[in-house]
Amino acid sequence: MTKTQRLMELVQLLRCHRYPVTAQHLAEQLSISVRTVYRDIICLQQQGVAIEGSAGLGYLLKSDGHLPPLMFSRHEIDALALGLDWVSRHTDAELKSAAQHALAKIYAVLPEHLSHALDHQSLLVATRGEVLFETHLPEIRKAIHTRNKIILRYKDLKEATSTRVIWPVVLGYFDRVRLLCGWCELRQDFRNFRVDRIEEIQASDEVYPGTRFQLLKRWKDYHQLREQNGYREA
């Protein structure tokens, strides 16, 4: 690996981290010495790349506007194409259209040898053997982004129907079901709801308190605590 390639790989590693990462970790990922990482960081900083931090504390990339955009590797193209193909085949019309537009944008900036690879993918997603229930998904995603509470009329697995006010936080895409996760005002706890068992959904004008990120952190902490206590989802 040349020094130029190593510097580009270092920038890419820093791009992947939202929080400071140690020189030791960077050295292990690049199979180089920690001392070389220190030298490369200084070199990048001298070229105008905004890297903050210091030895012993870690480094964080604040801006790489002085560098040209990094091109996708062949493996990254495979991952993007496979993921977008899955979205096109296993989600609702709104996300399917978004995936197709995203793929077109990626295709437009690729050099010829990579666009050729995108045209002739060998990694394929199986088509669905049945039409999955996709109603309500756009409304749920919108409510997640805008922090609006939603009102559900829901029929559980015992065929009992109830009305719930939910603070939506996560929409899980599984092979055969879509799962809405959120804070349930009735139960005063986080609950999961199968989207195909939602009989009616209505977005409320009321937003839940706090930010979406705070609610998402509470949900993650909730599940982490349950796992630590030995609980597993049925």
Side-chain angles (χ1 to χ4, degrees), residues 1 96 132:
M1 181 187 299
K96 178 179 180 179
L132 293 178

Side-chain angles (χ1 to χ4, degrees), residues 33-76:
S33 69
V34 173
R35 185 179 296 274
T36 300
V37 171
Y38 292 150
R39 288 199 299 263
D40 287 349
I41 292 289
I42 292 173
C43 179
L44 288 168
Q45 290 171 331
Q46 291 173 344
Q47 293 179 36
V49 182
I51 300 174
E52 295 183 354
S54 61
L57 297 178
Y59 296 96
L60 179 65
L61 181 65
K62 302 298 291 185
S63 171
D64 55 358
H66 288 77
L67 295 178
L70 298 184
M71 183 47 61
F72 296 115
S73 70
R74 177 58 190 270
H75 291 310
E76 290 167 342

